[in-house]
Amino acid sequence: MADTKNSGLSPVFPKEDAARPEFWEKRFREGFTPWDAGKIPAALEQFLKTEPRGQRALIPGCGSAYEVRAFAEAGFETLAIDFAPAAVERAQRTLGSLAHLVRLEDFFEFDFAPAFDLVYERAFLCSLPRPLRPRYMQRVVELLAPQGRIAGFFFFEDGERGPPFGLKTGELENLLGRYFVRIADAVVNNSIPIFAGKERWQIWSRR
């Protein structure tokens, strides 16, 4: 039998709701995490080299949280959250002495203060069922300080299946365009297989 853990091939799971933590808890417990790159993306490394220290960053749906260390070492006050206990456990093991930067929280419900300067996007938006996307946009607006930014990797695909749930042509502009302006957009050439040829590095700044 083929190993499906990180191959991108889906094992047989009963139909579940990807908006609930139980959906993701099962996948982390079963070791089925094809979205896990096992490293920090090159585009993020380059971005962090140019960023001033002292900013406050949120990493929602952090999974294994490899990027947390990179943000912290770049001088960001960093908070990573996930609502699946197994993901938080994995992230805290990965981070060791920086484990305190990861918390078990629901993106849509947790209390925060002060506002964040940056929300990092990596396989979080595409993990949300499509009906949650307007709520995601409103929540990001709440979380970000004036001139705050969303920066990261956005997954584009016209199909209906998921997760990952792809963004269709024009959908991201419609979702964010009222409150944000896109200030960077680049092809990603070193994606992991599940996202290959379908993601872009983008930065959106609050108007």
Side-chain angles (χ1 to χ4, degrees), residues 137-138 172-181 204 207:
M137 185 274 296
Q138 292 292 341
L172 189 60
E173 291 80 0
N174 290 336
L175 182 68
L176 299 180
R178 179 179 175 186
Y179 294 101
F180 294 87
V181 58
W204 292 77
R207 295 181 182 275

Side-chain angles (χ1 to χ4, degrees), residues 7 89 151:
S7 66
E89 291 170 16

